[in-house]
Amino acid sequence: MRPYLLLTPGPLTTSESVKQAMMSDWCTWDEDYNIGIVEVIRKELTELASSRSEEYTSVLMQGSGSFCVEATLGSVIRENDKLLVVANGAYGKRMGTISEYYHINYELMGFEETQAVNPEKVDAYLTEHPEVTHVSVVHCETTTGVLNPLKEIAQVVKKHNKTFIVDAMSSFGGVPIDMYELGIDFMISSANKCIQGVPGFGFIIARRSILEKCKGVARSLALDLYEQWDTMEKGHGKWRFTSPTHVVRAFMQAITELKEEGGIAARHVRYTENHKVLVEGMRELGFKTLLPDSEQSPVITSFYYPDSSFNFKDFYEKLKNKGFVIYPGKISQADTFRIGNIGDVYPDDFRKLVAAIKEIQAVK
Ligand SMILES: *Cc1c(COP(=O)(O)O)cnc(C)c1O
């Protein structure tokens, strides 16, 4: 069932049992599905995300992760509001692009892609710009793998009393986050990242008291977060439009497996070990990481090309033939490629990967 391991940060390698969970058909309006699956997932998500889950609620949304980011920005920020987008990579910039499409009043505060967001600069901006009402940031910028200092940014945002929106797409489920403790109001992720489901929908975990007041704010029908939530809430797990039933069932299995593994803390330990085995092995082979260790997430790692004659396409094909699919780089300032550490993959897989890379390098 596995022609190769996906060492890409979503879609990623899933377990056989997650794939098997898709082998039956579900009726979207039957209680077996709504109450038996969707409502269970919604509750589990708030419990995984917050130590005070009763203050939070969750909404599942068809599409990929970006659909959920767009649904959130487009359904929460009003005409007279102002959004500060803090960006140090492609996904942060995408929130700026969404703001353009929706004519949201926003400011994009840009940082180098190879640098973590500096909370002091956010603090200074918010002090000078009291008209800002919302702040959004990406937790793990998958562009490079940098892990932004969420706790310090959250402290600044809360000090200024702003609504805080976090794209935790590639970190939620793999890096511990407590929305309640940090004061996060909206957190967005998707099925095919650290929870280790398959692609097809994303989800938003929201502070209930804020989402409740968002009726009529959205400028999109399909991406109206409030209406999607209201239908799910009143219909006990009913989706407004056709839901990706098989994918949702697989996701429930993935949550069960997350809990069996020991929860997010245990998964974080495994991803960290994956990352460590990878980086130590690659450094032994002479590869250098793009980021300093202090800014690096355990989610995905960027490596410089080893020399100017390095041919990524050739390297990619050879590795694929050995059973590993990796990711090209995504930044303009340097030639890099990326290797994901998340999914149903283990330290031993990374030992085998490093051995495969060693063989490829030796043949040259
Ligand atoms: C994967 C990801 C997204 C969503 O990308 P899609 O291609 O729409 O799934 C958004 N933000 C981050 C940080 C991501 O890693």
Side-chain angles (χ1 to χ4, degrees), residues 49-114:
S50 165
S51 56
R52 245 208 237 171
S53 57
E54 64 278 12
E55 290 185 22
Y56 291 86
T57 184
S58 66
V59 196
L60 315 186
M61 178 72 85
Q62 297 92 334
S64 81
S66 301
F67 290 58
C68 295
V69 178
E70 182 168 331
T72 305
L73 299 185
S75 306
V76 169
I77 298 160
R78 294 168 168 81
E79 216 175 305
N80 296 324
D81 290 339
K82 181 169 178 182
L83 169 68
L84 175 66
V85 178
V86 182
N88 59 338
Y91 295 102
K93 283 191 194 140
R94 189 172 295 169
M95 295 202 268
T97 308
I98 293 167
S99 302
E100 288 287 334
Y101 269 73
Y102 281 79
H103 306 293
I104 288 170
N105 180 17
Y106 80 104
E107 177 78 29
L108 190 125
M109 175 183 273
F111 291 89
E112 290 292 324
E113 289 182 322
T114 50

Side-chain angles (χ1 to χ4, degrees), residues 73-252:
L73 299 185
S75 306
V76 169
I77 298 160
R78 294 168 168 81
E79 216 175 305
N80 296 324
D81 290 339
K82 181 169 178 182
L83 169 68
L84 175 66
V85 178
V86 182
N88 59 338
Y91 295 102
K93 283 191 194 140
R94 189 172 295 169
M95 295 202 268
T97 308
I98 293 167
S99 302
E100 288 287 334
Y101 269 73
Y102 281 79
H103 306 293
I104 288 170
N105 180 17
Y106 80 104
E107 177 78 29
L108 190 125
M109 175 183 273
F111 291 89
E112 290 292 324
E113 289 182 322
T114 50
Q115 274 176 6
V117 164
N118 180 345
E120 284 163 25
K121 292 209 169 136
V122 178
D123 192 11
Y125 187 88
L126 292 177
T127 303
E128 271 179 46
H129 296 271
E131 76 279 11
V132 170
T133 52
H134 297 69
V135 177
S136 68
V137 74
V138 175
H139 182 205
C140 171
E141 244 305 348
T142 324
T143 310
T144 55
V146 66
L147 192 68
N148 284 319
L150 192 58
K151 190 172 164 199
E152 288 74 13
I153 301 167
Q155 277 166 353
V156 166
V157 174
K158 284 298 122 180
K159 183 179 100 181
H160 291 275
N161 212 7
K162 311 300 181 192
T163 301
F164 192 26
I165 301 168
V166 177
D167 169 348
M169 207 70 68
S170 64
S171 57
F172 178 63
V175 180
I177 304 169
D178 186 339
M179 288 180 75
Y180 172 72
E181 209 177 272
L182 298 181
I184 299 170
D185 301 298
F186 293 89
M187 190 162 83
I188 307 150
S189 189
S190 82
N192 60 282
K193 303 243 172 159
C194 296
I195 309 276
Q196 297 181 186
V198 303
F201 76 97
F203 51 87
I204 297 97
I205 303 157
R207 191 182 295 279
R208 184 181 281 274
S209 58
I210 299 184
L211 182 58
E212 274 170 355
K213 296 194 191 100
C214 292
K215 186 177 173 67
V217 178
R219 288 77 126 189
S220 160
L221 170 70
L223 296 180
D224 186 334
L225 187 63
Y226 177 89
E227 289 300 333
Q228 182 89 351
W229 172 72
D230 195 48
T231 304
M232 264 182 194
E233 195 74 353
K234 290 185 182 142
H236 304 290
K238 196 179 174 305
W239 294 53
R240 272 187 312 162
F241 309 129
T242 301
S243 71
T245 48
H246 302 77
V247 172
V248 173
R249 177 63 190 86
F251 189 71
M252 188 164 104

Side-chain angles (χ1 to χ4, degrees), residues 16 31 57 70 89 113 117 143 183 208 241 260 274 283 295 332 357:
E16 288 305 313
E31 288 190 350
T57 184
E70 182 168 331
E113 289 182 322
V117 164
T143 310
R208 184 181 281 274
F241 309 129
E260 282 167 3
N274 287 350
R283 282 181 178 153
E295 293 185 351
S332 41
I357 293 175

